[in-house]
Amino acid sequence: FQLQASGGGLVQSGGSLRLSCLASESALEDYLVGWFRQAPGKEREGIACMGNVRSNGTYYANFAKGRFTVSRDYAENSVYLQMNNLKPEDTAVYYCAAVRTNFWGSHGLNTAPYDHWGQGTQVTVSS
């Protein structure tokens, strides 16, 4: 199945954006879902992940704690990333990803476990 990320854009420092990730065919109930970002010249880094319907546990990178919130809507087959108090250093292409597993936790912030990726959505934060 495919993941479609959307919701990026240009926002001023201190502003907010809500990113969405829609799965095209399969239900995401059994999937760990994660959000990642990649700034120019940098490696892709994990932001947050959320466990499947049996856990719903969440795990955040330190920079995301208190500002970013991951959530999911099983009925809509979607995952969201609410981003508040955005800073210029948050400028990057943001990606959603999914993998069928019961695992959730810090390893969910690594790219390696994921086998489904969205195409990315650009977030630009102006100072």
Side-chain angles (χ1 to χ4, degrees):
F1 63 90
Q2 293 182 338
L3 296 173
Q4 180 74 33
S6 62
L10 174 64
V11 64
Q12 289 188 335
S13 182
S16 299
L17 282 174
R18 187 189 191 215
L19 305 184
S20 299
C21 179
L22 174 67
S24 61
E25 298 174 5
S26 298
L28 290 177
E29 292 182 355
D30 295 327
Y31 287 77
L32 169 73
V33 293
W35 283 98
F36 295 80
R37 68 184 185 183
Q38 189 166 17
K42 295 187 177 181
E43 293 186 352
R44 192 169 297 189
E45 64 176 347
I47 303 169
C49 66
M50 189 169 189
N52 63 24
V53 67
R54 285 172 291 281
S55 70
N56 270 333
T58 56
Y59 197 91
Y60 293 89
N62 286 336
F63 70 83
K65 293 177 182 177
R67 296 194 300 130
F68 294 2
T69 303
V70 60
S71 63
R72 58 197 301 173
D73 186 329
Y74 291 103
E76 296 294 327
N77 216 24
S78 295
V79 184
Y80 306 98
L81 184 68
Q82 177 67 43
M83 305 186 295
N84 298 325
N85 191 22
L86 285 163
K87 306 173 182 180
E89 52 264 41
D90 294 318
T91 295
V93 178
Y94 283 67
Y95 300 88
C96 57
V99 61
R100 190 184 183 109
T101 181
N102 290 324
F103 170 84
W104 68 276
S106 61
H107 191 56
L109 298 186
N110 296 324
T111 59
Y114 295 92
D115 54 8
H116 293 83
W117 287 87
Q119 83 290 359
T121 184
Q122 176 70 46
V123 172
T124 302
V125 184
S126 62
S127 58

